[in-house]
Amino acid sequence: MSAPTVVAIDGAAGSGKSTLARLLARELDLPYVNTGLMYRALTRAALDLDVALAELTRGLRVRLTEGAHPELEVEGYRPEDLHTGEVDAAVSRASRHPKVRELMRRAQRALGADGAVMEGRDIGTVVYPDAPVKLFLSANPLERVARRSGERGGSNVAEELRARDERDARVNPLEPAPDAIAIDTTGATPEATLEAALQIVRSRR
Ligand code: C5P
């Protein structure tokens, strides 16, 4: 008995593969398998997921808490639910979608309408390019890793941070606004950094 026949047909787009393959399959009485459909189906599903993600973004209810020190509350989640390794590893996949970013930025502008201290990655450049005070914080990588290890633990913090920075920067380069004031927090206590920031805010008023 001879081995089952597979006729492999490869070629660039438009080279006539599909036409030939279907006809040949009928002639030889073999199944016609167009593997391009598998990749296209995956792509279609991913595109549909983009639409679903935008819908989810629209449904995300954000508000400021009442009281003396209002803070952002994203309905349905406690902050500790959102600061996990699992979310860290996946967040760049959600935040890279242009439609998601557009909707988030609109919501962020609304949250700041009566004034706010707003932290992020694109606040001074895109969300509030007219903000009167823009600070751009940095710290050396070792110190960032040490701080994050203190918050989260885990053995691979350095690599996880590096990978997330890289994924985020692919879509949304982390750059200071031209009029941002840089503060390097390496080796600085929170109080010292606060004092530096307050001086800048006061000088702008
Ligand atoms: O600041 P934090 O590390 O909590 O941000 C989590 C993630 O949210 C970032 O890694 C990035 O993917 C996304 N992000 C963003 N734009 C912002 C703030 C956060 O894309 N303004």
Side-chain angles (χ1 to χ4, degrees):
M1 217 175 146
S2 61
T5 308
V6 173
V7 180
I9 303 182
D10 295 307
S15 60
K17 296 188 299 274
S18 298
T19 307
L20 170 65
R22 178 177 282 116
L23 292 174
L24 194 62
R26 288 189 187 178
E27 283 299 321
L28 300 178
D29 214 11
L30 289 170
Y32 163 46
V33 180
N34 178 350
T35 60
L37 288 180
M38 295 164 69
Y39 295 99
R40 286 178 176 275
L42 178 66
T43 307
R44 184 65 259 166
L47 289 170
D48 291 344
L49 210 62
D50 285 4
V51 175
L53 213 53
E55 284 306 312
L56 283 177
T57 311
R58 279 198 192 87
L60 210 61
R61 291 213 284 218
V62 296
R63 66 177 200 106
L64 295 174
T65 57
E66 311 281 330
H69 305 292
E71 290 200 12
L72 177 63
E73 194 176 73
V74 185
E75 207 179 302
Y77 294 103
R78 297 167 307 166
E80 58 267 35
D81 297 333
L82 303 178
H83 284 97
T84 65
E86 199 184 5
V87 172
D88 281 356
V91 66
S92 314
R93 267 190 277 160
S95 61
R96 72 173 175 219
H97 290 280
K99 189 68 199 170
V100 166
R101 298 202 73 79
E102 183 195 318
L103 292 164
M104 289 294 198
R105 286 165 171 167
R106 200 181 299 164
Q108 288 154 8
R109 285 182 194 116
L111 287 163
D114 295 326
V117 175
M118 191 172 294
E119 69 153 282
R121 281 170 164 70
D122 55 355
I123 309 304
T125 46
V126 185
V127 179
Y128 272 102
D130 296 331
V133 183
K134 299 181 188 177
L135 306 176
F136 190 84
L137 264 60
S138 63
N140 85 24
L142 282 179
E143 184 144 337
R144 292 177 59 217
V145 170
R147 287 178 190 161
R148 184 43 62 95
S149 302
E151 292 161 8
R152 291 263 210 297
S155 54
N156 210 11
V157 174
E159 174 52 23
E160 283 161 13
L161 263 187
R162 193 203 57 73
R164 181 152 65 101
D165 283 351
E166 191 193 293
R167 282 194 300 270
D168 281 341
R170 254 182 249 153
V171 177
N172 191 44
L174 182 60
E175 276 164 8
D179 53 344
I181 296 174
I183 301 182
D184 184 346
T185 70
T186 309
T189 61
E191 294 73 24
T193 305
L194 170 64
E195 194 44 50
L198 277 174
Q199 273 182 24
I200 296 165
V201 172
R202 286 188 197 113
S203 73
R204 292 294 170 103
R205 275 193 170 150

